[in-house]
Amino acid sequence: MDVLLRNGYDVNLSLLRQDQMQASASRLAGQELVRVGDESMTSAEYLNRQAQIEYRAKDFLRAQSSGIISKLRVNNVMDISDSNALNRGEFNINNLLGRNSGLDYHYSSSPTLTGDFAKYDFTYLGSRYSVNQEQRIDSVVNDHNALKEIKQKYGVDTSNAYLNGSLRGERYFQGINADPHSINMSFIDQSGYLENTKSSNLNSYASSSTLHTKYGDVEVFLDLYGDNDKLGIGKLTSNALLFNFDSNGDGILNSSDKLFSKLKVRGYDKDGNEKIANLSDVVSDIDLTKFINSDVVNWNQKRRDVINSESLANNDMRNFVDTTNIDHRISYYSSNPYTVFTPESRYKKAEADSIKSFFDAYADKDGWVDLRNNNVFNKNSLFNNFAYEKVGFDGKLKLSEFNPIIKSDAPRDKNFSYNGYQRDSFMKFYRDYEKESTAHAKDVEWLSKNLKEYNVENADEYISRLNGSKSSYMIAMENEFQKATRLEFSPENLEKVKRAFEANPNKAALMMSDSDSVIAMKLNDNGSITLKFDSGREIEVTELYSDTGKLLGDKTRRASLNLETKAMSDIELGSISFNNIGILDTDGKYKTLQEIGASAIKSFSTKHGKQFLIYLGDNKTLTAKDLYNISFLNNEFGGGIEVGERGQFYRKLDVRA
């Protein structure tokens, strides 16, 4: 191209020769002409477009980082950009598109916490359009003529990039009776009964952005690209966001979590110079329960009780909500932070005597316990929830929690099939993920091309990162996939589930997370339990587990049910680690096999399921009904060994002269 680099931008010389009068006038106004491809523009337009392209590249990367940090869900993602940028007024869709699209991008207030602890604030397209929850925001945007023109002119799906995650309108694997437009756990109540109040049960340490370590106070950030977060998009604005990196859901953030190695800390030395280190260099683990209040309150229920009490006292029933027939587990899951951890870390097996007592107390004359009449799960109940053992697509036994019961007056299609519902839900997910992935790839291709054409500084670096990026909606969908299938998301695992539905849809449907609710249970003569679901299906289980409402273990160690050992042979059992597999001892403590002096372990079967025979010294043995994974906690926040000045971190406000 016949160009001359002038004042930091390329000027097309042939164009200047063709119309020198226009060029002269442009130069007099400071508007030298530039050609990019077949398009000519003034230098000011060129520089503006160049800045927009660079900002857009950053925003794509920011979207990915934000999606990971916030652990976005399809049904509650709010914004694919940096919320701090919104507060600074930097995020404006009109500016990003480089022209007046006629769209107003409104954002009420940035949430202090995101993901599972979000206080939901939704994005609306204002002034010209009134968008409610029943409408898909992206469909409204796609119909907007001005945006269509931009998409046609530049050949890129701008709505995919910038409105990604804005109230897409549904979850893929929600309950069969759930409102498809709900925002919280697939349930919604306009009275606010189901507001997510988990964050209200977190303490001030969770709200802080400073983490206490034996080396001093530091700030944590995600170094996704290995450059110490050069773009400034990985900062964790609160310690509560650390919950989102507990990938195995055991309540401990450590090396067993897949992104632990990507977390770094930032602080300062005694002279005020910035110091950066790996999180693993300053803490070996983080006990996430340190961020949870000692007393967890169901704020939804408490607020509703106050409103109802005032309504009765004032004889004004306009705000009164009869909670008699509302499943208490709905507000429980909206309020209790411990429910973000895996069931295996919270549930204990219900003993045979306890199960018999339960059915004696609650069963009708036919032996059924009806869970729909709220006599089991209510605000004064001793029960939080139940779970049963289930095999997922990974072939491993996991606990499957009972879904809260949602009563629906909508008539179900006479041809409704639970297996068909599960299959259709997955296939819709499969198609939509493919579309989203394709759209994102096209956006990246367009961005990469323009980064080069507009000579954006560090274009190759941006392109390299963009080529491996994912949109926030892709990340949200991948999180949904993992929750529904118990498989880590990968293209291979996506195809694996698809093939399973094609080969045996009935079997595949049962390996998905339940989309129906247990409405009744019956204790059988052989000790097994029949579960009846609102989809019409029934299954028989041999074990029942009860939610403790807390994590298993104590301040020095954590425990979680190891159900995999139930499928092991004696040879396989002999090879398990005695250092981190253990039992619940008779004194109520979780101890490793090594601590109790075990020399060998075997299994045997009873009418109540598989149990374990553990050999000790002096020809002694003991039996255990369950084995547990045991994790030890460091507990060195703010204490521990003495650290010299050179290794110490200081807060910015505490910089020494």
Side-chain angles (χ1 to χ4, degrees):
M1 182 165 58
D2 187 15
V3 297
L4 173 66
L5 185 65
R6 183 178 300 175
N7 298 329
Y9 50 83
D10 293 339
V11 179
N12 190 291
L13 298 180
S14 60
L15 184 63
L16 292 176
R17 297 189 194 100
Q18 291 172 8
D19 198 339
Q20 293 187 10
M21 290 182 64
Q22 181 180 349
S24 297
S26 297
R27 282 196 301 273
L28 288 174
Q31 299 292 318
E32 295 160 315
L33 295 177
V34 181
R35 182 180 294 276
V36 177
D38 296 330
E39 187 176 4
S40 62
M41 63 195 74
T42 65
S43 61
E45 289 174 332
Y46 175 87
L47 293 174
N48 184 46
R49 189 77 61 81
Q50 184 186 60
Q52 290 167 13
I53 295 298
E54 182 174 15
Y55 188 91
R56 186 165 182 186
K58 288 181 180 179
D59 207 55
F60 263 65
L61 299 174
R62 184 183 296 115
Q64 176 175 244
S65 183
S66 175
I68 293 171
I69 290 172
S70 299
K71 199 174 182 180
L72 302 181
R73 302 293 187 198
V74 173
N75 67 320
N76 68 7
V77 286
M78 295 171 292
D79 160 49
I80 63 98
S81 184
D82 177 12
S83 59
N84 293 322
L86 284 164
N87 294 334
R88 295 192 300 267
E90 294 175 5
F91 190 89
N92 183 298
I93 196 168
N94 295 329
N95 293 339
L96 288 170
L97 294 175
R99 57 178 293 162
N100 183 1
S101 66
L103 294 177
D104 293 324
Y105 193 88
H106 290 268
Y107 192 84
S108 53
S109 61
S110 176
T112 56
L113 301 169
T114 51
D116 287 311
F117 299 99
K119 293 180 178 178
Y120 298 94
D121 289 311
F122 289 105
T123 304
Y124 292 90
L125 301 173
S127 77
R128 300 192 182 189
Y129 292 93
S130 175
V131 182
N132 57 37
Q133 285 178 211
E134 283 68 38
Q135 292 173 300
R136 290 171 62 91
I137 284 184
D138 56 338
S139 66
V140 175
V141 173
N142 287 337
D143 288 339
H144 195 285
N145 291 331
L147 191 53
K148 275 187 173 180
E149 183 182 335
I150 293 171
K151 289 164 65 176
Q152 291 169 357
K153 180 174 181 179
Y154 297 112
V156 62
D157 186 356
T158 51
S159 63
N160 174 63
Y162 290 102
L163 300 177
N164 212 352
S166 295
L167 205 59
R168 286 280 180 143
E170 60 196 346
R171 289 182 65 177
Y172 289 94
F173 307 112
Q174 62 190 359
I176 59 175
N177 291 326
D179 181 346
H181 306 291
S182 60
I183 62 175
N184 185 28
M185 280 203 64
S186 302
F187 318 116
I188 186 169
D189 175 7
Q190 296 300 331
S191 70
Y193 181 78
L194 300 176
E195 179 186 350
N196 188 329
T197 59
K198 285 188 176 76
S199 61
S200 299
N201 282 307
L202 300 182
N203 55 36
S204 58
Y205 190 24
S207 300
S208 170
S209 61
T210 303
L211 186 70
H212 308 316
T213 78
K214 65 185 179 184
Y215 296 97
D217 290 349
V218 294
E219 292 183 345
V220 185
F221 65 94
L222 175 64
D223 185 25
L224 195 58
Y225 305 110
D227 59 0
N228 292 331
D229 192 28
K230 180 180 178 181
L231 295 177
I233 59 179
K235 181 180 178 181
L236 273 61
T237 55
S238 72
N239 288 328
L241 294 173
L242 291 169
F243 281 82
N244 296 322
F245 292 91
D246 180 22
S247 60
N248 62 6
D250 64 355
I252 307 172
L253 184 60
N254 57 21
S255 58
S256 64
D257 298 303
K258 61 182 181 181
L259 285 177
F260 187 70
S261 63
K262 295 286 187 181
L263 292 173
K264 290 187 176 180
V265 297
R266 179 181 282 110
Y268 301 86
D269 65 18
K270 65 183 182 64
D271 299 317
N273 301 309
E274 184 180 74
K275 289 179 60 177
I276 290 176
N278 295 320
L279 177 61
S280 59
D281 292 335
V282 296
V283 293
S284 59
D285 56 61
I286 298 176
D287 178 5
L288 296 174
T289 64
K290 289 183 177 289
F291 304 124
I292 300 176
N293 287 332
S294 56
D295 295 321
V296 174
V297 178
N298 188 331
W299 291 105
N300 289 296
Q301 185 66 54
K302 189 171 184 177
R303 181 169 59 251
R304 177 49 52 203
D305 287 345
V306 170
I307 293 174
N308 283 353
S309 178
E310 291 175 349
S311 298
L312 291 171
N314 299 325
N315 198 27
D316 182 358
M317 308 303 286
R318 288 176 296 178
N319 294 322
F320 183 88
V321 173
D322 183 4
T323 61
T324 304
N325 293 317
I326 294 178
D327 192 326
H328 180 70
R329 291 173 296 177
I330 299 173
S331 61
Y332 168 72
Y333 276 87
S334 299
S335 299
N336 193 329
Y338 286 95
T339 58
V340 305
F341 304 124
T342 60
E344 290 78 18
S345 299
R346 295 183 285 117
Y347 280 71
K348 282 186 178 180
K349 182 187 292 183
E351 301 297 341
D353 291 344
S354 299
I355 292 175
K356 185 178 184 305
S357 297
F358 172 81
F359 279 93
D360 287 344
Y362 292 99
D364 61 20
K365 61 183 179 61
D366 296 319
W368 287 96
V369 175
D370 191 340
L371 301 180
R372 291 169 295 187
N373 60 16
N374 204 24
N375 64 341
V376 176
F377 299 113
N378 55 65
K379 66 178 182 179
N380 299 315
S381 174
L382 298 176
F383 306 105
N384 294 313
N385 200 5
F386 297 128
Y388 68 96
E389 296 175 3
K390 179 176 180 175
V391 177
F393 281 96
D394 58 1
K396 298 177 181 178
L397 273 178
K398 298 287 186 182
L399 290 186
S400 179
E401 297 179 274
F402 290 11
N403 287 323
I405 298 169
I406 305 300
K407 297 176 181 178
S408 175
D409 297 327
R412 189 170 292 157
D413 190 298
K414 64 179 181 180
N415 296 319
F416 174 83
S417 158
Y418 176 75
N419 294 339
Y421 177 88
Q422 293 281 67
R423 179 200 61 218
D424 293 345
S425 297
F426 173 77
M427 292 311 299
K428 180 176 179 1
F429 174 92
Y430 182 90
R431 293 189 298 269
D432 284 0
Y433 186 85
E434 189 175 55
K435 290 177 184 176
E436 181 69 17
S437 179
T438 300
H440 181 70
K442 288 181 178 178
D443 286 342
V444 168
E445 181 183 6
W446 179 87
L447 260 178
S448 300
K449 176 175 177 289
N450 280 270
L451 284 165
K452 282 290 192 181
E453 288 190 347
Y454 284 90
N455 293 314
V456 172
E457 187 177 1
N458 299 319
D460 290 336
E461 188 175 344
Y462 283 122
I463 292 170
S464 175
R465 292 173 179 173
L466 286 168
N467 285 336
S469 71
K470 296 177 180 179
S471 72
S472 60
Y473 196 55
M474 289 170 68
I475 294 170
M477 293 182 75
E478 291 174 9
N479 286 329
E480 285 251 339
F481 175 88
Q482 184 169 336
K483 186 176 181 180
T485 67
R486 301 176 185 171
L487 293 172
E488 288 285 339
F489 182 88
S490 68
E492 293 76 20
N493 281 339
L494 184 62
E495 292 298 329
K496 176 180 179 178
V497 178
K498 179 174 180 285
R499 288 194 302 271
F501 271 105
E502 291 170 343
N504 190 336
N506 295 342
K507 181 180 178 181
L510 297 179
M511 289 193 291
M512 296 283 287
S513 62
D514 292 340
S515 291
D516 49 1
S517 303
V518 177
I519 57 174
M521 302 189 296
K522 183 178 182 180
L523 180 61
N524 303 315
D525 293 338
N526 64 358
S528 67
I529 301 165
T530 298
L531 306 181
K532 181 186 291 185
F533 293 79
D534 55 5
S535 63
R537 68 185 179 111
E538 292 185 8
I539 64 173
E540 193 172 302
V541 299
T542 57
E543 307 284 3
L544 198 63
Y545 295 81
S546 182
D547 183 7
T548 65
K550 298 279 187 177
L551 287 176
L552 305 180
D554 54 36
K555 293 182 179 179
T556 63
R557 62 186 68 191
R558 286 283 182 277
S560 63
L561 282 161
N562 186 322
L563 300 178
E564 295 176 29
T565 50
K566 288 193 169 189
M568 290 183 178
S569 66
D570 286 345
I571 294 177
E572 290 172 322
L573 282 173
S575 65
I576 63 175
S577 171
F578 283 20
N579 295 325
N580 51 29
I581 301 291
I583 63 169
L584 178 61
D585 207 350
T586 52
D587 60 0
K589 299 291 185 180
Y590 293 94
K591 296 180 180 178
T592 67
L593 294 176
Q594 184 182 55
E595 287 175 321
I596 64 173
S599 59
I601 182 171
K602 291 185 177 181
S603 63
F604 63 97
S605 298
T606 71
K607 67 176 183 177
H608 298 297
K610 192 171 185 178
Q611 295 189 24
F612 302 94
L613 181 65
I614 301 170
Y615 294 86
L616 308 174
D618 300 326
N619 295 320
K620 294 180 180 179
T621 61
L622 62 83
T623 59
K625 296 177 181 178
D626 290 292
L627 295 181
Y628 295 85
N629 302 310
I630 310 292
S631 301
F632 296 90
L633 296 167
N634 195 314
N635 292 316
E636 285 188 340
F637 281 173
I641 62 174
E642 289 291 328
V643 180
E645 263 196 358
R646 186 170 184 176
Q648 189 74 26
F649 282 84
Y650 301 94
R651 297 179 64 180
K652 194 169 187 178
L653 295 178
D654 297 333
V655 171
R656 302 178 182 182

